[in-house]
Amino acid sequence: DESLDLIQRCHFLVLPLQPTHRATGQVVLLEAMAFGKTAVATRMPGTLDIIRHNENGLLIDPLDPDALAREVNSLLNDPARLRRLADRAFADVQQFHATETHAQLKLDAITELWRQAVR
């Protein structure tokens, strides 16, 4: 509850993940997007599945803290850009990551695998 409260109260979310081979951060990103927040995250497995750079959030090289600082400062100085990214993030989470959509995509994938198996 505390983390959701913090996400809801922030202007935008910064998620500086360290390099790893497994996907991390997806839940936090989707929660922020569901609250209509822009996310600035490092380019990692998991974040690449959700964020499209400069469309619904920002992706930064995980080993480039200067780029992270530049993007954070640019959002602080450009409220129109911040709002555009946040609006697209909210729309995307509603369109692609809502429970019903997620369930339907899983069902479609299972149905396609079944069709291929019975051919």
Side-chain angles (χ1 to χ4, degrees):
D1 289 341
E2 184 179 348
S3 66
L4 291 177
D5 180 57
L6 291 171
I7 291 170
Q8 190 171 11
R9 292 187 297 131
C10 73
H11 293 286
F12 55 89
L13 176 82
V14 178
L15 190 62
L17 300 169
Q18 294 295 312
T20 180
H21 294 290
R22 64 182 181 91
T24 60
Q26 300 94 319
V27 172
V28 173
L29 288 177
L30 292 172
E31 288 170 343
M33 293 168 73
F35 281 121
K37 305 297 179 178
T38 299
V40 180
T42 47
R43 218 176 247 108
M44 300 298 299
T47 62
L48 293 170
D49 297 330
I50 298 170
I51 297 179
R52 293 182 320 282
H53 183 69
N54 212 30
E55 289 182 39
N56 67 351
L58 300 173
L59 290 168
I60 309 302
D61 185 309
L63 302 176
D64 191 351
D66 292 334
L68 178 64
R70 279 191 305 274
E71 289 294 5
V72 166
N73 284 320
S74 76
L75 289 177
L76 290 171
N77 293 309
D78 191 349
R81 180 180 184 218
L82 178 63
R83 183 78 260 147
R84 178 182 58 80
L85 292 169
D87 289 347
R88 182 73 256 161
F90 181 77
D92 281 1
V93 81
Q94 297 302 310
Q95 182 177 359
F96 302 115
H97 301 286
T99 303
E100 296 81 10
T101 303
H102 183 75
Q104 187 61 54
L105 290 171
K106 291 250 188 230
L107 183 58
D108 291 348
I110 291 166
T111 301
E112 181 58 30
L113 288 171
W114 177 77
R115 283 186 185 138
Q116 291 176 14
V118 296
R119 287 186 195 170

